[in-house]
């Protein structure tokens, strides 16, 4: 007799709990906020492996940007960090320009369409480290320029599909890659107390750190020099930057400093430190340089990159990227950055998840998304 009463009661209780759960999740009533904020570890399935990421529930404590004065202060601190000067105006007018070879011949690009000519831009830096870029000038020009930064993977020739995509749409393209990569040199340097060594890895740059020189400059100085040249020689209406992997990181950092960049796009380029729980996501020297991120952490860099009149920062992640930053960790900060820029009333921030492939690349789907969102 007792069981006959108990079983229906349990069934009724389970039904009530189930219905209440639906109400909590659907209408976000109590205790939705409590349960949501207490979820410190979330697990997701990626490439058949169980991976974890930490959910940072108090992003306000990490982002110290609340007004335009904070923006200016952060940018000035970054300028001091990279160039050891007091203002970006001074950096822009130090008179340094790239060496330019006009209308070069490179048979690797003979099959390119809508290509008038290629100019070679060479920036020479401290310790004889250089940066070689190609300026692809279209037959028909939209008067808009895109910096394409290929990252760590090798010569920007590997991004020829991306370069051609933008040429087809009448963009002028400056193609670049990371220091020591591709056509960029790997010089032999003399280090006090250590002797000579050949620079082949970014991690070696820490050997060059001193009170008067910051080797992090190698990553962004070439863009600034090329930008000054372009402004002097051409009359482009709009400047954008699109980068893959390490180039995506570069896109974030440079556009955070230089608001002449209107649209910045980072593909598989970075995530905040609290999401980096897989070894492949940790990153090398520039991604983990603590002196930089004590000044401006990743979340603040995202705000800086998107902030300004008619400015936009876009992040694209490959859902199944075998290299870096796969999965859905970005969901923990996406709307926070959007809200912060809305509060600042200038600029915008977007994230796009590309689930159309399983590669570390800028896919055709991503390119179509980019072109739709950087053309006004």
């Amino acid at each position: 007799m007792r069981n006959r009463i108990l079983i229906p009661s349990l069934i009724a209780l389970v039904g009530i709990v189930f219905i209440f759960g639906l109400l909590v999740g659907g209408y976000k009533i109590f205790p939705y906020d409590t349960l949501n904020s207490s979820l410190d570890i979330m697990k997701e399935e990626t490439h058949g492996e169980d991976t974890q990421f930490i959910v940072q529930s108090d992003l306000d404590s990490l982002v110290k940007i609340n007004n335009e004065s904070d923006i200016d202060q952060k940018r000035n601190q970054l300028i001091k960090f990279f160039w050891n000067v007091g203002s970006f105006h001074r950096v822009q007018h130090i008179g340094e320009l790239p060496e330019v070879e006009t209308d070069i011949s490179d048979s690797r690009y003979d099959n390119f369409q809508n290509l008038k000519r290629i100019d070679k831009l060479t920036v020479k830096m401290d310790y004889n480290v250089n940066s070689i870029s190609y300026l692809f000038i279209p037959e028909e020009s939209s008067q808009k320029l895109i910096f394409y930064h290929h990252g760590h993977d090798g010569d920007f020739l590997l991004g020829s599909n991306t370069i051609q995509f933008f040429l087809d749409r009448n963009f002028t393209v400056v193609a670049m890659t990371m220091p020591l990569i591709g056509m960029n040199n790997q010089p032999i340097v003399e280090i006090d107390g250590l002797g000579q060594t050949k620079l082949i890895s970014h991690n070696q740059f820490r050997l060059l750190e001193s009170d008067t020189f910051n080797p992090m400059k190698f990553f962004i100085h070439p863009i600034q020099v090329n930008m000054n040249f372009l402004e002097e020689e051409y009359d482009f209406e709009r400047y954008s930057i699109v980068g893959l992997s390490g180039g995506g990181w570069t896109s974030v950092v440079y556009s955070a400093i230089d608001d002449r960049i209107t649209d910045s796009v980072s593909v598989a380029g970075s995530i905040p430190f609290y999401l980096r729980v897989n070894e492949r996501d940790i990153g090398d020297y520039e991604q983990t340089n603590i002196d930089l991120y004590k000044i401006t952490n990743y979340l603040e860099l995202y705000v800086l990159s998107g902030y300004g009149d008619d400015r936009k920062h876009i992040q694209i992640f490959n859902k199944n990227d075998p290299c870096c930053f796969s999965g859905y960790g970005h969901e923990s900060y996406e709307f926070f950055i959007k809200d912060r820029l809305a509060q600042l009333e200038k600029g915008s921030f977007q994230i796009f998840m590309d689930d159309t492939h399983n590669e570390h690349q800028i896919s055709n789907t991503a390119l179509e998304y980019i072109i739709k969102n950087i053309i006004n």
Side-chain angles (χ1 to χ4, degrees):
M1 182 69 177
R2 180 179 298 175
N3 289 338
R4 292 180 182 177
I5 297 174
L6 182 59
I7 291 174
S9 298
L10 288 173
I11 293 172
L13 179 60
V14 170
I16 292 171
V17 171
F18 177 74
I19 292 170
F20 182 66
L22 291 177
L23 291 172
V24 169
Y27 294 95
K28 299 184 179 181
I29 62 175
F30 179 84
Y32 175 86
D33 290 334
T34 302
L35 292 172
N36 193 48
S37 63
S38 67
L39 186 58
D40 292 326
I41 302 289
M42 295 183 67
K43 301 182 72 176
E44 68 178 44
E45 191 80 4
T46 306
H47 307 303
E49 300 175 359
D50 282 335
T51 59
Q52 293 182 327
F53 62 84
I54 301 170
V55 175
Q56 173 60 249
S57 59
D58 185 16
L59 299 185
D60 268 323
S61 68
L62 298 180
V63 177
K64 307 298 184 183
I65 298 176
N66 298 296
N67 51 51
E68 190 166 2
S69 177
D70 293 336
I71 294 281
D72 293 340
Q73 182 180 15
K74 288 288 184 181
R75 283 183 175 158
N76 287 335
Q77 288 174 331
L78 288 171
I79 291 159
K80 180 71 174 176
F81 173 77
F82 284 106
W83 285 283
N84 198 30
V85 298
S87 71
F88 196 70
H89 176 81
R90 183 176 170 190
V91 174
Q92 290 176 245
H93 295 87
I94 58 177
E96 185 174 352
L97 295 172
E99 294 181 359
V100 181
E101 298 177 51
T102 304
D103 197 12
I104 68 164
S105 177
D106 190 330
S107 60
R108 300 176 300 169
Y109 299 96
D110 283 350
N111 63 344
F112 265 34
Q113 303 300 308
N114 192 31
L115 179 60
K116 181 178 180 180
R117 74 171 196 264
I118 301 174
D119 292 349
K120 181 180 178 181
L121 312 179
T122 302
V123 178
K124 295 182 178 179
M125 298 178 282
D126 303 78
Y127 293 96
N128 198 35
V129 173
N130 74 3
S131 174
I132 296 174
S133 309
Y134 275 8
L135 174 63
F136 294 88
I137 300 174
E139 292 280 2
E140 298 182 26
S141 173
S142 65
Q143 295 304 308
K144 296 178 181 179
L145 181 134
I146 287 182
F147 287 94
Y148 169 63
H149 203 298
H150 189 67
H152 294 93
D153 193 35
D155 195 293
F156 48 74
L157 174 67
L158 298 172
S160 59
N161 179 65
T162 298
I163 298 169
Q164 182 65 74
F165 179 88
F166 291 122
L167 283 173
D168 287 342
R169 287 147 184 86
N170 300 328
F171 283 84
T172 302
V173 180
V174 176
M176 312 179 66
T177 193
M178 304 290 269
L180 312 181
I181 305 294
M183 290 188 293
N184 299 333
N185 68 349
Q186 296 183 337
I188 295 173
V189 300
E190 182 78 31
I191 301 175
D192 289 343
L194 299 178
Q196 291 187 336
T197 187
K198 183 177 182 179
L199 297 178
I200 60 173
S201 166
H202 294 165
N203 291 328
Q204 292 173 285
F205 285 161
R206 62 172 52 93
L207 300 174
L208 307 180
E209 294 175 352
S210 71
D211 293 337
T212 58
F213 178 71
N214 182 0
M216 289 287 285
K217 175 182 175 181
F218 291 142
F219 295 96
I220 65 168
H221 184 64
I223 307 177
Q224 178 266 327
V225 174
N226 288 339
M227 173 69 93
N228 288 350
F229 164 74
L230 294 166
E231 279 202 321
E232 183 175 294
E233 296 294 326
Y234 297 91
D235 188 26
F236 292 109
E237 299 172 356
R238 196 175 187 92
Y239 293 93
S240 305
I241 185 168
V242 176
L244 170 65
S245 195
W249 172 89
T250 307
S251 298
V252 170
V253 175
Y254 189 77
S255 60
I257 297 170
D258 190 349
D259 62 5
R260 292 178 294 179
I261 299 289
T262 305
D263 315 285
S264 55
V265 182
S266 170
V267 182
S270 70
I271 52 175
F273 280 115
Y274 70 84
L275 293 173
R276 299 185 184 219
V277 296
N278 295 309
E279 185 175 355
R280 64 175 179 264
D281 289 342
I282 296 301
D284 57 7
Y285 173 74
E286 66 275 8
Q287 288 263 0
T288 57
N289 187 294
I290 193 61
D291 291 331
L292 169 60
Y293 303 110
K294 282 181 178 178
I295 295 171
T296 312
N297 61 50
Y298 277 106
L299 294 170
E300 291 174 328
L301 286 170
Y302 303 156
V303 173
L304 291 168
S305 297
Y307 176 82
D309 293 325
D310 192 29
R311 294 189 82 221
K312 180 182 299 180
H313 179 53
I314 299 171
Q315 293 183 356
I316 297 176
F317 294 100
N318 300 317
K319 178 182 176 182
N320 300 311
D321 199 311
C323 167
C324 323
F325 315 131
S326 60
Y328 292 91
H330 64 271
E331 292 182 350
S332 68
Y333 66 84
E334 176 180 3
F335 292 102
F336 175 84
I337 301 297
K338 287 182 177 180
D339 288 346
R340 183 55 54 95
L341 284 169
Q343 293 170 23
L344 293 166
E345 299 182 339
K346 285 185 180 181
S348 65
F349 177 76
Q350 296 171 211
I351 289 182
F352 174 68
M353 172 61 76
D354 188 352
D355 61 0
T356 63
H357 62 93
N358 300 319
E359 304 295 332
H360 183 60
Q361 66 175 12
I362 304 178
S363 72
N364 290 332
T365 299
L367 287 172
E368 292 292 346
Y369 180 88
I370 291 167
I371 206 70
K372 288 177 183 178
N373 284 277
I374 67 174
I375 294 180
N376 291 332

